[in-house]
Amino acid sequence: MLELLVIVSLIIGAIIAIRDHYINQPVRCPSRVLLKGKTAIVTGASSGVGLETARALAERGARVIMGAEDVKRATKECVHIINSTSNKDVFVRELNTGLMSSVRDFTSEILKTESALHILVNASSVSAPRVKRLTPECFEYTMATNHLGPFLLTNKLLGLLKSSTPSRVVVLTSEGHRFCRDIEPEALNNKLRTYMGSFEVYGQSKLCNNLFTLELAKRLQGTGVTANCIHPKTAGDEIFSKSLKNNLHSFTTNLMDLIQKVEKLDARSLDYLCVSDEIADLSGKYFVNSEVCQGSRLSRDKNLARKIWEASENLVGLLPDERH
Ligand SMILES: NC(=O)c1ccc[n+]([C@@H]2O[C@H](COP(=O)([O-])OP(=O)(O)OC[C@H]3O[C@@H](n4cnc5c(N)ncnc54)[C@H](OP(=O)(O)O)[C@@H]3O)[C@@H](O)[C@H]2O)c1
């Protein structure tokens, strides 16, 4: 049984690899909006959804700043984007969202060099390690990278977003936010707590992404800046949820479905959130692909969202004049 599962997994992996490299061209959002004269920042832009979003925005003519921890890798991808889109206004800036000092360096540089910011996509993310890991700044690694860093980054750039309206903040989250059944704002960093296991820790960080978006949208009401979060339902996620089922029958019967969904492994729904006129006035929403969905009960708790916001402000050390 196990051997069969391994073989099936290998076949799926091979199909995905072939598709990625030789066959499928990414599908794009049907919107014809052009972004000439607009500036976008995409974090986590050296691979995955972040990279595809950077490419999609570059194709629309935006000035794109790719925030990446691995500058060498991101620069390689940046050159591909420039060559394939003929948009030369795409470049890489070093950004480690797990390190608040790096987030501060990145945003200081942006505030010095950029006079406007129309789109901010927070796509940098890690899955939680099996055992607890602390960053050099003594934050729990997953919470720092997935929530606290993006929280600080967005807050530091809010002034620029507000002076560039209409503008949008898009936060990558995951259906994995449902793994989290409980969260204590006062113990958000998890530094001192017993490690809860990777699903729970990842789920907590993703729940924070939803709650952050909810509170951010509230604070941005009437400013012309919108904030929404999204679970991009792509192939990786399909494989992930299927492997959880641990059931050969559903695994194989869903294989064809998976192969069809592989066609959608791209940034179409993210591109949609960044540019579509249809959702220009929507804010504080949770999207799965391009549809507004209802997140978990906790993710809709406005009181909790405010408390998580305040705890995050304190943890990242937001100064009074940096608060919104
Ligand atoms: N893909 C899916 O199926 C799926 C499904 C649901 C939700 N999501 C969500 O979508 C987001 C992106 O997922 P993905 O599939 O694109 O993941 P991915 O391919 O692993 O991309 C994550 C990106 O974040 C970067 N990153 C990691 N640590 C970083 C750090 N400390 N500082 C800056 N950047 C860092 C990675 O850079 P390096 O590669 O250089 O480390 C990479 O570019 C995540 O929030 C995830 O929860 C994805």
Side-chain angles (χ1 to χ4, degrees), residues 44 46-47 49 69 73 95-97 125 173 202 206 232 234 237:
S46 58
S47 67
V49 178
E69 188 187 10
R73 185 163 159 214
L95 169 68
N96 179 344
T97 59
S125 182
T173 182
Y202 178 75
K206 292 286 125 185
T234 56
D237 174 57

Side-chain angles (χ1 to χ4, degrees), residues 5 12 40-41 57 59 63 97-99 129 132 193 210 216 218 221-222 237 239 287 289 306 319:
L5 265 176
I12 294 172
I41 292 178
L57 299 176
E59 273 177 6
R63 171 177 171 79
T97 59
L99 277 182
K132 191 198 292 190
R193 294 174 77 195
N210 288 52
L216 180 63
K218 188 182 129 199
Q221 258 169 20
D237 174 57
I239 291 168
F287 285 77
N289 271 349
R306 182 182 49 77
L319 301 170

Side-chain angles (χ1 to χ4, degrees), residues 18-256:
I18 291 167
R19 179 207 70 91
D20 275 356
H21 289 283
Y22 300 108
I23 304 171
N24 194 34
Q25 289 301 313
V27 187
R28 297 290 174 217
C29 157
S31 167
R32 295 193 176 172
V33 170
L34 291 179
L35 297 175
K36 195 103 193 93
K38 305 283 181 189
T39 301
I41 292 178
V42 183
T43 74
S46 58
S47 67
V49 178
L51 172 60
E52 285 312 317
T53 307
R55 195 190 315 280
L57 299 176
E59 273 177 6
R60 293 184 183 279
R63 171 177 171 79
V64 180
I65 300 160
M66 301 167 66
E69 188 187 10
D70 186 341
V71 172
K72 206 168 152 195
R73 185 163 159 214
T75 303
K76 243 180 171 172
E77 296 297 349
C78 179
V79 170
H80 283 150
I81 292 178
I82 291 172
N83 290 340
S84 63
T85 63
S86 304
N87 178 349
K88 293 194 172 63
D89 210 5
V90 184
F91 52 98
V92 176
R93 289 264 179 276
E94 185 171 358
L95 169 68
N96 179 344
T97 59
L99 277 182
M100 304 312 130
S101 53
S102 169
V103 173
R104 284 190 176 276
D105 289 348
F106 175 86
T107 52
S108 298
E109 187 64 23
I110 294 293
L111 294 174
K112 261 190 234 149
T113 58
E114 305 304 315
S115 54
L117 177 60
H118 305 94
I119 299 169
L120 170 62
V121 180
N122 282 304
S124 65
S125 182
V126 286
S127 49
R130 275 193 309 123
V131 289
K132 191 198 292 190
R133 181 173 153 192
L134 296 185
T135 68
E137 294 171 340
C138 237
F139 290 113
E140 190 278 315
Y141 168 72
T142 313
M143 187 57 85
T145 310
N146 295 1
H147 168 62
L148 294 173
F151 173 86
L152 175 61
L153 179 96
T154 309
N155 270 281
K156 289 286 294 171
L157 296 176
L158 270 188
L160 195 55
L161 285 156
K162 282 182 187 169
S163 63
S164 317
T165 54
S167 49
R168 302 184 188 193
V169 179
V170 176
V171 179
L172 266 295
T173 182
S174 165
E175 276 287 281
H177 78 273
R178 297 182 200 275
F179 297 148
C180 181
R181 304 267 167 81
D182 188 24
I183 190 163
E184 291 171 42
E186 19 338 295
L188 190 61
N189 185 25
N190 276 324
K191 182 172 66 171
L192 301 171
R193 294 174 77 195
T194 315
Y195 199 64
M196 296 168 289
S198 46
F199 277 134
E200 185 70 19
V201 170
Y202 178 75
Q204 246 193 21
S205 73
K206 292 286 125 185
L207 175 64
C208 285
N209 291 156
N210 288 52
L211 291 167
F212 165 55
T213 308
L214 192 63
E215 179 68 15
L216 180 63
K218 188 182 129 199
R219 291 175 185 239
L220 288 172
Q221 258 169 20
T223 62
V225 189
T226 62
N228 292 295
C229 60
I230 177 169
H231 164 105
K233 207 171 176 193
T234 56
D237 174 57
E238 290 294 314
I239 291 168
F240 180 59
S241 63
K242 283 183 179 66
S243 71
L244 275 183
K245 285 183 189 164
N246 198 18
N247 173 323
L248 188 63
H249 176 69
S250 64
F251 196 81
T252 49
T253 51
N254 282 323
L255 183 57
M256 288 317 294

